Amino acid sequence: MASADELTFHEFEEATNLLAETPDAATTSRSDQLTPQGHVAVAVGSGGSYGAEDEVEEESDKAALLQEKQQQQQPGFWTFSYYQSFFDVDTSQVLDRIKGSLLPRPGHNFVRHHLRNRPDLYGPFWICATLAFVLAVTGNLTLVLAQRRDPSIHYSPQFHKVTVAGISIYCYAWLVPLALWGFLRWRKGVQERMGPYTFLETVCIYGYSLFVFIPMVVLWLIPVPWLQWLFGALALGLSAAGLVFTLWPVVREDTRLVATVLLSVVVLLHALLAMGCKLYFFQSLPPENVAPPPQITSLPSNIALSPTLPQSLAPS
Amino acid sequence: MAEAEESPGDPGTASPRPLMRDLKAVGKKFMHVLYPRKSNTLLRDWDLWGPLILCVTLALMLQRDSADSEKDGGPQFAEVFVIVWFGAVTITLNSKLLGGNISFFQSLCVLGYCILPLTVAMLICRLVLLADPGPVNFMVRLFVVIVMFAWSIVASTAFLADSQPPNRRALAVYPVFLFYFVISWMILTFTPQ
């Protein structure tokens, strides 16, 4: 087919450019056209992405992306297909991005390697939703387990924590990238070289980096304080490392001072989020005059302990 | 069945819609949810009365007493309502953005009707809570909620999964899982004051 030939021809040119970019993130003039104003213009009718097999997904990704960017006009923001372009991901792609965020590597830029300039909104949105609900549920569950150990604690469903969790997680995951993106654009100023990441790419970076907090929060159910701090530190380290490795290629062209300050602020905000979650949702519980963890975390074996789930059910 | 294709509450209809016929249509869809088969009734003749009835019932049963001034209690009526409808709309939008070929109201209809098993679980939990409190009480409620949660998921994916291309099915089904999980959690942690 003629179209297949055209695709492969483009691919050879562009693939080498993309591969050359990845290791050192330096840019050529070609990349200016690769990152237009703000958004990836992927047409809705890209039916090719539905049928793409995994092994040719890489080539069809790059080739389709380039062809469409050159040919298609971006739909207006009032049309539904504009927003559909941000959800143009498959299950395997989302899982691959999550894996990429869990295992950050120094030379391995998340945006270039995993997002491949096709950010999506599915990951950030649903990871934030999951994290918010998991926080509220496990925080409540911690109270349940504490009440089983110490009946003087009053149990309540604490439903308002769902709202608090939701608002704080979503604000963090959308406002901080906005501020970061704005700051980077301001610093880049009139430089026409590789621009900073687009807003959506920044949102993606932050959204996927929050994924590692989900298992961390679930593991915080184990009521051993030093273990909780250990898990917290591990997760924070992974998450912050991912952020730093991804942002480093962009900020290192700036002065050392600005680069260090920016990266420290990013890590600090992330740490504050983790600490806030720990302190608000997992409030300090009675000291350890309790049975060892394996007994506590399995509900059925607590039959011998004092009853019951809701304190207020006692006949009054 | 021909009139079922009009939108509900169609203004300008000459004769009033018989109540019994509508109730029968709602009841028929309840049966389809309880025994999920590959039929198209829920999708073809969608209506939002069933979801509304279920949502109001669930919210009424879940709300904390107005006399209970405790800030820490369970959800208010409005909170349950918002979670159910907002959640259903979000899942529907997500499904459409991923490229699913189901209409907006059809999806809302399916998600709303599939709350039926969880509403039944809420009723059972309230009855069980009248008995002696204790770990056995909790285990019974946990078992019932888990079974009904699984039933809801199976029922809704039976209707919704086909509308997505195969390589995105998991992406579309996961939010449904999260939605019913949150509702199940609200039911399980319900404590009458």
Side-chain angles (χ1 to χ4, degrees):
Chain A
M1 291 185 291
S3 56
D5 286 340
E6 282 170 11
L7 289 178
T8 48
F9 174 74
H10 281 292
E11 186 212 329
F12 284 146
E13 251 184 54
E14 302 309 328
T16 49
N17 280 342
L18 283 174
L19 287 174
E21 270 181 50
T22 312
D24 55 4
T27 60
T28 63
S29 61
R30 196 75 178 131
S31 67
D32 280 345
Q33 297 170 22
L34 283 182
T35 51
Q37 245 359 68
H39 310 282
V40 172
V42 175
V44 172
S46 54
S49 66
Y50 283 170
E53 299 296 309
D54 275 350
E55 55 269 30
V56 304
E57 184 197 56
E58 232 181 300
E59 289 117 9
S60 70
D61 255 356
K62 285 184 201 141
L65 170 72
L66 296 162
Q67 231 195 1
E68 280 154 13
K69 273 187 174 140
Q70 287 155 17
Q71 292 173 9
Q72 304 285 348
Q73 210 179 357
Q74 190 180 326
F77 67 90
W78 56 88
T79 60
F80 191 69
S81 49
Y82 174 79
Y83 298 103
Q84 240 175 343
S85 63
F86 304 139
F87 280 77
D88 195 15
V89 279
D90 295 338
T91 312
S92 55
Q93 286 176 320
V94 172
L95 290 176
D96 174 62
R97 289 170 187 198
I98 290 178
K99 265 199 303 240
S101 78
L102 284 176
L103 305 167
R105 291 200 301 243
H108 213 68
N109 191 328
F110 181 72
V111 171
R112 295 275 170 256
H113 193 90
H114 289 277
L115 291 189
R116 288 191 204 145
N117 294 75
R118 288 180 71 182
D120 69 302
L121 278 182
Y122 179 90
F125 184 81
W126 288 109
I127 290 177
C128 290
T130 311
L131 184 60
F133 284 122
V134 167
L135 264 178
V137 166
T138 49
N140 200 230
L141 203 50
T142 316
L143 194 59
V144 165
L145 296 176
Q147 206 235 11
R148 296 190 145 249
R149 296 200 299 267
D150 179 5
S152 66
I153 298 176
H154 176 56
Y155 167 79
S156 58
Q158 296 179 316
F159 192 74
H160 66 286
K161 292 206 168 174
V162 172
T163 325
V164 172
I167 292 181
S168 53
I169 299 281
Y170 271 97
C171 280
Y172 179 81
W174 292 78
L175 294 182
V176 174
L178 181 66
L180 181 66
W181 172 77
F183 179 79
L184 286 177
R185 277 190 82 93
W186 173 64
R187 288 302 295 185
K188 284 303 162 185
V190 296
Q191 276 184 355
E192 288 307 319
R193 296 174 59 235
M194 168 173 127
Y197 301 130
T198 66
F199 174 58
L200 277 182
E201 285 169 349
T202 325
V203 166
C204 263
I205 297 171
Y206 265 86
Y208 282 102
S209 77
L210 283 178
F211 180 81
V212 73
F213 286 172
I214 297 178
M216 169 188 84
V217 165
V218 172
L219 285 172
W220 273 349
L221 276 175
I222 305 175
V224 178
W226 64 265
L227 207 59
Q228 289 178 337
W229 288 110
L230 179 68
F231 287 139
L234 272 177
L236 182 63
L238 269 181
S239 190
L243 284 178
V244 167
F245 292 150
T246 309
L247 289 175
W248 177 242
V250 177
V251 300
R252 72 176 178 188
E253 278 117 25
D254 217 326
T255 66
R256 281 211 89 91
L257 177 66
V258 171
T260 351
V261 166
L262 182 69
L263 289 177
S264 340
V265 167
V266 160
V267 172
L268 185 69
L269 282 175
H270 225 58
L272 279 179
L273 179 76
M275 292 270 305
C277 290
K278 170 100 179 43
L279 294 175
Y280 183 71
F281 293 99
F282 297 83
Q283 269 148 5
S284 52
L285 298 168
E288 307 321 308
N289 51 347
V290 300
Q295 254 183 336
I296 298 296
T297 49
S298 56
L299 291 171
S301 65
N302 279 353
I303 297 193
L305 291 180
S306 49
T308 103
L309 189 49
Q311 184 76 5
S312 46
L313 268 192
S316 48
Chain B
M1 248 340 188
E3 286 103 325
E5 286 169 24
E6 295 166 356
S7 56
D10 196 22
T13 315
S15 60
R17 296 163 64 90
L19 184 63
M20 279 316 296
R21 194 204 53 216
D22 279 344
L23 283 179
K24 273 198 201 140
V26 169
K28 188 161 177 228
K29 293 201 191 71
F30 280 165
M31 295 324 292
H32 271 101
V33 169
L34 287 179
Y35 304 106
R37 286 184 302 266
K38 286 273 179 191
S39 94
N40 275 338
T41 310
L42 251 145
L43 291 180
R44 213 177 40 223
D45 309 319
W46 61 267
D47 75 81
L48 292 180
W49 290 113
L52 185 67
I53 295 172
L54 287 172
C55 183
V56 168
T57 315
L58 194 62
L60 277 175
M61 287 197 284
L62 270 176
Q63 66 171 343
R64 64 184 116 136
D65 291 333
S66 51
D68 170 25
S69 59
E70 195 184 303
K71 184 170 83 88
D72 271 4
Q76 299 276 18
F77 181 91
E79 285 172 342
V80 177
F81 223 77
V82 161
I83 284 196
V84 169
W85 287 99
F86 209 63
V89 166
T90 309
I91 295 176
T92 307
L93 279 180
N94 177 68
S95 174
K96 289 192 74 74
L97 284 169
L98 282 172
N101 60 355
I102 191 173
S103 97
F104 184 78
F105 287 109
Q106 281 174 351
S107 174
L108 277 188
C109 171
V110 167
L111 289 168
Y113 270 102
C114 290
I115 296 182
L116 176 65
L118 287 171
T119 312
V120 170
M122 183 74 220
L123 280 166
I124 298 180
C125 281
R126 278 213 95 141
L127 291 174
V128 168
L129 278 171
L130 292 174
D132 259 352
V136 175
N137 190 303
F138 178 73
M139 294 309 296
V140 167
R141 285 187 291 136
L142 181 68
F143 177 74
V144 165
V145 169
I146 287 181
V147 164
M148 292 303 181
F149 167 65
W151 202 334
S152 282
I153 301 253
V154 165
S156 58
T157 46
F159 294 112
L160 290 178
D162 282 340
S163 68
Q164 287 287 340
N167 54 347
R168 297 182 179 195
R169 218 158 264 176
L171 294 185
V173 166
Y174 170 72
V176 177
F177 171 87
L178 191 62
F179 177 63
Y180 289 128
F181 178 78
V182 170
I183 297 183
S184 314
W185 178 255
M186 289 197 295
I187 292 175
L188 192 57
T189 58
F190 171 75
T191 61
Q193 297 297 333

